[in-house]
Structure formats: C-alpha cells, structure tokens
Amino acid sequence: MTTPSTKKNTDTSRLELARRFVSDTGRNLFLTGKAGTGKTTFLRQLQQSCPKRMAIVAPTGIAAINAGGVTIHSFFQLPFGPQVPNHYLPAEEQGPPPSFRFGRPKINLIRSLDILIIDEISMVRADLLDAIDGVLRRFRNRDLPFGGVQLLMIGDLQQLAPVVREQDWALLGKYYKGPFFFQSKVLEQHPPDTIELDHIFRQSDQLFIDVLNQIRENRLSKEGLALLQERYRPDFKPGPGYITLCTHNRQADHINQQHLDALPGRPLTFKASIEGDFPPSSFPNDEKLVLKKGAQVMFIKNDPSPQKRYYNGKIGSITEISPLSISVRCSHPDEVIEVERAQWHNYKYQLNESSNQIDEELIGSYTQMPLKTAWAITIHKSQGLTFEHAVIDARSAFTHGQVYVALSRCRSLEGLVLSTPIDPAAIITDRSVDHFIQSAAENLPGPDRILQFQREYEQQLLLELFGFGQLDRQLSRLHFEITRHQNVVFGTLSDVLNEALLNVRESLLPVALKFEKQLRQLLSLPLAAADHPQLQERIRKAAPWFLQQIQQSLKPLLKDAEFETDNKELRKNIKVRLETIARQTDIHLHTLQAAQKGFSAPAYLAARSAATLQKQMEQLKTTGGKKTTAATGKIQSSQPELYQRLKTWRDNQADEFNLPHYMILQTKTMLELVDKMPETTKELQKIKGLGKQKIARFGSEILEIIATYRSDLKLK
C-alpha cells in the first residue's frame, strides 16, 4: 500500500527529475500536476538554481506578474486575435513580413535564450504556441522546433482552458483540431515529454483528495457525488472567513457591492500609484480601491517581509482603516496584521553585455493596498489560490475544468459549502485533454531516460559545435544571389566569396565530416561528456584547428570584401546574408575558443550566447568614407575621393529630378569614369552607360568634377 509519506517521497523525486530534465537536457517538457502539487514553487526554485539563460512568459498580465515574467504577447510582439499558422515562420529568403519588426536588442535576447518557460500553459491556445515557434525559428534555427530553444510548459490541463471566441474559432477551426496547446502544429510534430507531480500539498484529507481526482479525471462515482452533495447548504449564511466562488464577474461584483453597502460608515478610497510602464491589463488590483471598516478582504500578494504574515489568498476582515494603513484580523491563525501599501513590478528582459546574462529590467511599478473585497471572486481568478473556507456556486459552469478548479481551492471538505448542488452535467471535460493526459502518463521519463536525454543533448551540442552546414548554406545562397545579379554587382565581393566557398568546401567541410564520424563513435559509449576523457582530448585538439580554418576562410570575406550596386533591394539582401554569415562565424569562433579547454554543455551555451552580445563584426562598421566592408554595401575604387564626389553629385541630381539614382549614373559607369578620368566630350563618349542625351545633359558637369579633382591632386 502506498502511504502519504511514500507519495511525498515519490513526488520529491519527480521534482528532482524535473530539475535535472530542465538543467541537463535540451528536450521540451510539460510539467503538470493536480492543483496544489507545487508547480509554482518549482518555478521559483528553478529561477534561482538553473544555469541556463531563461525568460518566463504567461498568457495573461496577472499570471505573468505572479510568475515574475511578462506576457506572451508583449515578449513576442504578437497582435491579439487569432494567429494564422506559419505566418511567422521564416521563408527561405530572409526578411520578415512588412508588419513584423523586432529591434536589435530583442533579436539578440531571443538568440541568447537557452530556455523559454511558459506558465499557466493550459490557457495558451494552439495558434499562439505556433506563433511563438515561428518567431523563434525566424531569428534562430528555422529547422528546429522553437528555433532550438528548450521549452518548459507548466500547468494543469484539467484546470481552466483557453478562451476561444466563436469568431476566432471560425478561422482557427480550419487549421486546428482543438484550441489546446498540445494541438498546435509544432507539438503535434514534436510532442513534449511530460512529468506529472502527484503529491498534493494543499489538501491532507485523502477522502477529499480522491473525490477531487475523480472530478479531474471525469470519473466521479455515486459515492463521491453523494459525499459532495452533503456539503450543500441552501440556507447557509457565510460568516467571516468564507469566500464565495462563482462563475461570472457580474455575480462576484454584485455580492461584493451588496456586502460593502450594508456596512455602516463611510468608505475610504485608495488610489494606486503607477510609475513607468505598467499597462492597465496587468493591474493586480483596482486602481481605485474602495474599502470600509468591517469589510471582508483577501490578500492578493505574498508578504515580502521576513515575517511572512500573509499570503496570496488569505482571508480576513478590516478592524481599523486609515488613508495610510489598514488593520486586518485573520482567524487562521488568530492575528491582526497591519497592512501597508505593497508594490508590484513590471519587468522586461534584456541582455547584460558585461555579464553576458539575461537580466530583468524593471520598467514599471504599481503600488496599492494588497487587498480586495473578498466576499466573492470568480473561479477563473481563484486559480492558483488556496482558501480555508469557501462557498461554491458552480451552477453556471460553462467551460472545461471550472468545477474542478473551484472545489480544489479549498484545503478541506469541512471548509467547503455548496450553495447549489453539484450537477454532474456541469463537470465539463474535454476528450482530447483526457486522451493527451493518458498518452503522456504512459510515457513518463525516468532517471535512465534522463541520462539518455543528457547524452543526446551533449551530442546535439557537439555536432552543432563542429558542424558547418548552416554556414555553407548561407555562403551558397549569397553566391547564388551575386551570380544571378552579376551584371549589377561591382567590387571584390564576388571573387572573395568564391575563395571563401572554395576554402570551406575543400578544407573545412571534408575534415569536419571525418571528425563528425569520430565524434559519433566516441559518443556511442554510454558516458556523459564530463566522464569521457578520450572525447575531451579529441575536442581539445580539434578545436584550435577548426578555429584557425574558420578565421582563414571567412576573415577576407567579412573584413576586406567590398561591393556596390544600384539595386536597393539587392543591396539589402546581400547585407542580410553577410550579417547572417558574420553572426554564424562569430558563434563558431566563440564556441571553438571555449572548446579548447574541453567541452561541457553549460560552457558551450555560455559561449554561444556571448557571441550574440558582441558588437557587430568590424566589417559592419563604416570608416568615414574610406575603405569599408562588404556588409555595408560600400566599395573602394582606385580614386575613392573622386568616386565619392561623383556619387554625391549623382545622388543630388537624382533627388532634384525625382529619378532613381541609376538613371543618372550607374555604378559601373562611375567606376569607369574614375579609372579613365576623361578630359573631353570625345573621351566621355567612350564610357559605357553615357549616351548622347546623357552627355548633352550632364557631360559638362561630369567633366568639371573630374577636372577639379585633377587640379586638387596637383595642389596636394
């Protein structure tokens, strides 16, 4: 027989298993569990102990504030409303859709992420998760789910479901089997592993726990229903400490206002203080909070003081009230708490360039009394809270998991009162959820699988470290772009690129392929990288050679190559390709440098993320009109000063006549003018791109520019 103590020990081991899963593998995880099993506590501890760079998001503003993160829509800059599948996925050709723009800091942040944590995942719709997948792929690796970022999803599918309006489903129903996150396209193709926590800390009454589990799993027995119906008290008058949970806001508002109005005395209004960026949708409390002496209130925040006098969900009544403080008497335990204004913070994530860590930047604060009237709240707002005494009105339950959430808020059956009988028809569950949970339960990862996943993760990172396929593909795409437009692209870029491609394919890739075979052989042993001396030795010896090869092959392309073109779209595409190559090169340089001391997953991840924090490669900078790099789209000519004078004149003429620049002078024409420096109209006629009409219109000005330059040269 399994005792409560055994269950607790088992669940402690599952918590440790989940911690190892997140820290030591790269696999996506759905951490679930019944209400009150410690999922939120696990998240808090993970924030403190996990070495990976993480961001925490949640579907709603309140959930995000409670989780210490930001909303999904805010972090990923997604519009509200339905998300069409694949809209955010990167195309083969670079360049996001016109309405999709991220700043450099946000792109760098996304590229530095190791793990993304989504809290309250049960409320996240399938289309929203696919949008997250698309954004991450766009700015990281298009070929990997979530761009290669590890995903930790925390929540309970048997609790509240995603909100889907009829008009939204009219569109989304064409693409999805259902609204739940596991029905997203990305998770249907790449199902996550699941770890379920099953030891309930909130309740200790095993009989009550069994009934809750029956409701959760849609198998409520006659005995269980009868036990619940015994808690039906049609004439019950809630006393102090009782809170009513109902299905709709209007019910809760009506109950609270009735009770508040019935109290003697004048109300006091507490106005919130808002600083910086704190959107109204994320307000944790009323901006104008109206309270009276005698009002039943609920704390909506954990006490930040060392005394921990109150917690989110604790019930009490106001004994004294003034504009500066409120005294609240709580019966569990019997005490009076002096309450002052509390502060909530709104954060955004940013990269710390000095520490190479992801920091939480405080961007706004909300200061208000951590109380609200609490004769009643909605079941939706009660998710995550715990009450000693509650009156449940679930007669109008309308969605999956609502009855279970309501009943599971109470610590004990004795503290539970039903204002209406439980209607079995109101216990709404979704068959797709039941099927998913059953399938996940049959494939729970154990310690042995964790070790296997750890080795697979290390193998993935090692093959990434010594894999140069993506770099080769980007070079090939750039080569195709330039070859296709060779008549309008000028400069040394084409020649330097050809040499880089040759070096990569003849020197780098063949050796990399041979080394990959060696790595796979060494990795076939059932050893973690840290316990594999032969593997570590090969890595330390190989890293310097590959580091040198990368530097020799790519440095000329990124430092010295130059190009010019009059085609603005082509110039943009070439620059994007070059920036991508520069970024990938920088990652290889950082990670190979770190690997010279041996390999570990944390060291590799740190080096990879550090690469995104570096200033753009030197080739991305201009040098005041002198020699510049290919990535800037500039070119060095034999007479750079003359070239610049002609270009400035050309650009001014184009602006004056509202014409494209190339219709005044093409780049190849300017380069020939610079090389030959004609002195007469007859010599101008020999320059390609200068016809009779153009010479008649601009010839004298061009010759004057060249003559002035010749004169200046003699003066120098």
PDB file of all heavy atoms in Angstrom, residues 49-64:
ATOM      1  N   SER A  49      18.192  28.464  -9.374  1.00  0.00           N
ATOM      2  CA  SER A  49      19.242  27.453  -9.457  1.00  0.00           C
ATOM      3  C   SER A  49      19.681  27.066 -10.863  1.00  0.00           C
ATOM      4  O   SER A  49      20.801  26.593 -11.045  1.00  0.00           O
ATOM      5  CB  SER A  49      18.790  26.174  -8.723  1.00  0.00           C
ATOM      6  OG  SER A  49      17.628  25.618  -9.357  1.00  0.00           O
ATOM      7  N   CYS A  50      18.827  27.261 -11.863  1.00  0.00           N
ATOM      8  CA  CYS A  50      19.155  26.775 -13.208  1.00  0.00           C
ATOM      9  C   CYS A  50      20.184  27.689 -13.870  1.00  0.00           C
ATOM     10  O   CYS A  50      20.009  28.907 -13.917  1.00  0.00           O
ATOM     11  CB  CYS A  50      17.898  26.695 -14.064  1.00  0.00           C
ATOM     12  SG  CYS A  50      18.201  26.000 -15.719  1.00  0.00           S
ATOM     13  N   PRO A  51      21.275  27.109 -14.432  1.00  0.00           N
ATOM     14  CA  PRO A  51      22.309  27.940 -15.053  1.00  0.00           C
ATOM     15  C   PRO A  51      21.944  28.459 -16.436  1.00  0.00           C
ATOM     16  O   PRO A  51      22.643  29.311 -16.978  1.00  0.00           O
ATOM     17  CB  PRO A  51      23.505  26.973 -15.140  1.00  0.00           C
ATOM     18  CG  PRO A  51      22.877  25.613 -15.286  1.00  0.00           C
ATOM     19  CD  PRO A  51      21.624  25.664 -14.449  1.00  0.00           C
ATOM     20  N   LYS A  52      20.886  27.967 -17.019  1.00  0.00           N
ATOM     21  CA  LYS A  52      20.529  28.353 -18.374  1.00  0.00           C
ATOM     22  C   LYS A  52      19.918  29.753 -18.401  1.00  0.00           C
ATOM     23  O   LYS A  52      19.289  30.197 -17.445  1.00  0.00           O
ATOM     24  CB  LYS A  52      19.544  27.344 -18.971  1.00  0.00           C
ATOM     25  CG  LYS A  52      20.129  25.957 -19.188  1.00  0.00           C
ATOM     26  CD  LYS A  52      19.138  25.021 -19.846  1.00  0.00           C
ATOM     27  CE  LYS A  52      19.771  23.663 -20.127  1.00  0.00           C
ATOM     28  NZ  LYS A  52      18.811  22.733 -20.766  1.00  0.00           N
ATOM     29  N   ARG A  53      20.115  30.410 -19.539  1.00  0.00           N
ATOM     30  CA  ARG A  53      19.513  31.723 -19.734  1.00  0.00           C
ATOM     31  C   ARG A  53      18.046  31.539 -20.067  1.00  0.00           C
ATOM     32  O   ARG A  53      17.717  30.870 -21.049  1.00  0.00           O
ATOM     33  CB  ARG A  53      20.244  32.472 -20.857  1.00  0.00           C
ATOM     34  CG  ARG A  53      21.665  32.858 -20.479  1.00  0.00           C
ATOM     35  CD  ARG A  53      22.469  33.257 -21.708  1.00  0.00           C
ATOM     36  NE  ARG A  53      23.773  33.755 -21.349  1.00  0.00           N
ATOM     37  CZ  ARG A  53      24.805  32.976 -21.031  1.00  0.00           C
ATOM     38  NH1 ARG A  53      24.660  31.665 -21.045  1.00  0.00           N
ATOM     39  NH2 ARG A  53      25.974  33.516 -20.709  1.00  0.00           N
ATOM     40  N   MET A  54      17.179  32.143 -19.273  1.00  0.00           N
ATOM     41  CA  MET A  54      15.760  31.865 -19.409  1.00  0.00           C
ATOM     42  C   MET A  54      14.935  33.128 -19.473  1.00  0.00           C
ATOM     43  O   MET A  54      15.352  34.204 -19.040  1.00  0.00           O
ATOM     44  CB  MET A  54      15.264  30.997 -18.244  1.00  0.00           C
ATOM     45  CG  MET A  54      15.301  31.673 -16.878  1.00  0.00           C
ATOM     46  SD  MET A  54      14.637  30.611 -15.543  1.00  0.00           S
ATOM     47  CE  MET A  54      15.802  29.257 -15.561  1.00  0.00           C
ATOM     48  N   ALA A  55      13.746  32.981 -20.031  1.00  0.00           N
ATOM     49  CA  ALA A  55      12.716  34.008 -19.977  1.00  0.00           C
ATOM     50  C   ALA A  55      11.424  33.312 -19.570  1.00  0.00           C
ATOM     51  O   ALA A  55      11.163  32.176 -19.974  1.00  0.00           O
ATOM     52  CB  ALA A  55      12.553  34.704 -21.320  1.00  0.00           C
ATOM     53  N   ILE A  56      10.616  34.005 -18.764  1.00  0.00           N
ATOM     54  CA  ILE A  56       9.344  33.459 -18.284  1.00  0.00           C
ATOM     55  C   ILE A  56       8.212  34.287 -18.867  1.00  0.00           C
ATOM     56  O   ILE A  56       8.212  35.514 -18.773  1.00  0.00           O
ATOM     57  CB  ILE A  56       9.274  33.472 -16.744  1.00  0.00           C
ATOM     58  CG1 ILE A  56      10.445  32.677 -16.151  1.00  0.00           C
ATOM     59  CG2 ILE A  56       7.952  32.896 -16.252  1.00  0.00           C
ATOM     60  CD1 ILE A  56      10.568  32.841 -14.650  1.00  0.00           C
ATOM     61  N   VAL A  57       7.249  33.610 -19.468  1.00  0.00           N
ATOM     62  CA  VAL A  57       6.092  34.293 -20.033  1.00  0.00           C
ATOM     63  C   VAL A  57       4.828  33.585 -19.571  1.00  0.00           C
ATOM     64  O   VAL A  57       4.858  32.436 -19.134  1.00  0.00           O
ATOM     65  CB  VAL A  57       6.150  34.336 -21.579  1.00  0.00           C
ATOM     66  CG1 VAL A  57       7.358  35.128 -22.059  1.00  0.00           C
ATOM     67  CG2 VAL A  57       6.187  32.928 -22.169  1.00  0.00           C
ATOM     68  N   ALA A  58       3.701  34.276 -19.678  1.00  0.00           N
ATOM     69  CA  ALA A  58       2.406  33.718 -19.297  1.00  0.00           C
ATOM     70  C   ALA A  58       1.342  34.330 -20.193  1.00  0.00           C
ATOM     71  O   ALA A  58       1.546  35.389 -20.789  1.00  0.00           O
ATOM     72  CB  ALA A  58       2.112  33.989 -17.818  1.00  0.00           C
ATOM     73  N   PRO A  59       0.173  33.678 -20.306  1.00  0.00           N
ATOM     74  CA  PRO A  59      -0.838  34.150 -21.259  1.00  0.00           C
ATOM     75  C   PRO A  59      -1.565  35.420 -20.854  1.00  0.00           C
ATOM     76  O   PRO A  59      -2.114  36.113 -21.697  1.00  0.00           O
ATOM     77  CB  PRO A  59      -1.809  32.965 -21.345  1.00  0.00           C
ATOM     78  CG  PRO A  59      -1.619  32.211 -20.064  1.00  0.00           C
ATOM     79  CD  PRO A  59      -0.170  32.375 -19.700  1.00  0.00           C
ATOM     80  N   THR A  60      -1.623  35.728 -19.557  1.00  0.00           N
ATOM     81  CA  THR A  60      -2.325  36.925 -19.107  1.00  0.00           C
ATOM     82  C   THR A  60      -1.404  37.806 -18.283  1.00  0.00           C
ATOM     83  O   THR A  60      -0.395  37.339 -17.753  1.00  0.00           O
ATOM     84  CB  THR A  60      -3.553  36.561 -18.252  1.00  0.00           C
ATOM     85  OG1 THR A  60      -3.118  35.940 -17.024  1.00  0.00           O
ATOM     86  CG2 THR A  60      -4.479  35.610 -19.003  1.00  0.00           C
ATOM     87  N   GLY A  61      -1.782  39.070 -18.152  1.00  0.00           N
ATOM     88  CA  GLY A  61      -0.966  40.009 -17.398  1.00  0.00           C
ATOM     89  C   GLY A  61      -0.826  39.621 -15.937  1.00  0.00           C
ATOM     90  O   GLY A  61       0.263  39.671 -15.366  1.00  0.00           O
ATOM     91  N   ILE A  62      -1.937  39.203 -15.320  1.00  0.00           N
ATOM     92  CA  ILE A  62      -1.902  38.828 -13.906  1.00  0.00           C
ATOM     93  C   ILE A  62      -1.034  37.591 -13.716  1.00  0.00           C
ATOM     94  O   ILE A  62      -0.208  37.526 -12.797  1.00  0.00           O
ATOM     95  CB  ILE A  62      -3.327  38.577 -13.376  1.00  0.00           C
ATOM     96  CG1 ILE A  62      -4.182  39.840 -13.519  1.00  0.00           C
ATOM     97  CG2 ILE A  62      -3.284  38.123 -11.940  1.00  0.00           C
ATOM     98  CD1 ILE A  62      -3.690  41.017 -12.765  1.00  0.00           C
ATOM     99  N   ALA A  63      -1.213  36.598 -14.568  1.00  0.00           N
ATOM    100  CA  ALA A  63      -0.401  35.380 -14.478  1.00  0.00           C
ATOM    101  C   ALA A  63       1.070  35.693 -14.667  1.00  0.00           C
ATOM    102  O   ALA A  63       1.936  35.117 -13.998  1.00  0.00           O
ATOM    103  CB  ALA A  63      -0.868  34.358 -15.516  1.00  0.00           C
ATOM    104  N   ALA A  64       1.387  36.605 -15.581  1.00  0.00           N
ATOM    105  CA  ALA A  64       2.778  36.979 -15.825  1.00  0.00           C
ATOM    106  C   ALA A  64       3.382  37.672 -14.608  1.00  0.00           C
ATOM    107  O   ALA A  64       4.518  37.371 -14.217  1.00  0.00           O
ATOM    108  CB  ALA A  64       2.869  37.877 -17.053  1.00  0.00           C
TER     109      ALA A  64
END
